[in-house]
Amino acid sequence: MLYLIGLGLGDAKDITVKGLEVVRRCSRVYLEGYTSVLTVGKEALEEFYERKLIVADREAVEQEADNILKDADISDVAFLVVGDPFGATTHSDLVLRAAKLGIPYRVIHNASIMNAVGCCGLQLYNFGETVSIVFWTDTWRPESFFDKVKKNRENGMHTLCLLDIKVKEQSLENLIKGRKIYEPPRYMSVNQAAQQLLEIVQNQRIRGEEPGIQEFSCYSSTAAFRSVCDLTSDTYDIHLWSKTQCLCNVPFLVLFPSNFNLNLTGFNLYQKKNIRILYSKINTIPESEAFSQIKYESDLMYIC
């Protein structure tokens, strides 16, 4: 039996009880390690699961899937995925390969960013098509993801943007020469994603196209669409302004730790324990115990 097991979004303990029971009885356990990562490493997972894990990179899953499926018809094999097993197309392909070979399979689901994004306060029913924002290169600068953001915006829908990661990737030169030399891991930041979006807006205006999105900027981060963003430094001097209109008249909400140094005018500030909430004057923040229970480990999160 092939088991595809979701690990959730946090640490080793986010696996379900059912998933953990299966992992501990499987003869081989693979950990998919290229579409997402947990907050803990392989060693922490092995300690909690009480099993040795085999890290499966992109090459192993997409080009050497037969090795993963080997003997799965006579023994139990687990394939562990951060989030939910069907968060990436390559995992669906693994199931199709198993079915073609007559290997039975079972899926054990878990939390995914696709539904966990609801924690930001936006209704899941109001999300449009999810997009992936990929790293640009000198010769490859796709803009197709922006068109989907724009379409969602036109339909009054939110957009969940998945930011690119590069793990065990080869440079073009090493790929052409067949050298197994890999680049250091890279994880796209919100700043990088927003900068690419803003550049697309500028490119479309140069081409005479109407991007349909207004830019809101700050020194440390930029956002061009309805979304959720976070910054990852300890302290920022934040200066908010708009190129097109006063932010005081735009519905928005900013949440951040109290160690932020703010330079803002015309906004309301709500203090609750170690969280400060910035919001425009046309919004209201209710006095609720919900705010006292909010715990944000990231440095800044805002919702436009």
Side-chain angles (χ1 to χ4, degrees), residues 198 202 205 214-217 241-247:
L198 288 173
Q202 295 166 2
R205 289 204 173 110
Q214 299 169 333
E215 308 100 298
F216 299 97
S217 305
W241 74 93
S242 171
K243 296 179 181 178
T244 56
Q245 59 182 300
C246 176
L247 275 179

Side-chain angles (χ1 to χ4, degrees), residues 13 35 67 79 83 94 104 136 187 195 202 249 265 280 303:
K13 295 183 179 179
T35 61
N67 292 334
F79 185 75
L94 191 62
W136 279 350
Y187 304 90
Q195 186 59 48
Q202 295 166 2
N249 298 321
T265 57
S280 57
I303 303 169

Side-chain angles (χ1 to χ4, degrees), residues 83-100:
D84 187 81
F86 288 132
T89 54
T90 51
H91 308 148
S92 301
D93 179 69
L94 191 62
V95 169
L96 294 175
R97 288 172 180 263
K100 187 176 181 179

Side-chain angles (χ1 to χ4, degrees), residues 198-218:
L198 288 173
E199 190 168 329
I200 293 174
V201 171
Q202 295 166 2
N203 291 339
Q204 290 195 355
R205 289 204 173 110
I206 292 173
R207 296 195 296 263
E209 304 172 13
E210 176 51 52
I213 288 177
Q214 299 169 333
E215 308 100 298
F216 299 97
S217 305
C218 64

Side-chain angles (χ1 to χ4, degrees), residues 220 231-238 255-262 276 298-301:
S220 302
L231 301 174
T232 54
S233 292
D234 293 332
T235 304
Y236 282 100
D237 291 316
I238 303 297
L255 297 93
F256 49 89
S258 55
N259 63 343
F260 269 67
N261 299 318
L262 296 173
R276 289 190 295 176
S298 59
D299 294 309
L300 180 145
M301 179 179 290

Side-chain angles (χ1 to χ4, degrees), residues 276-287:
R276 289 190 295 176
I277 301 168
L278 173 74
Y279 58 101
S280 57
K281 288 186 175 180
I282 61 174
N283 286 349
T284 58
I285 301 295
E287 286 283 350

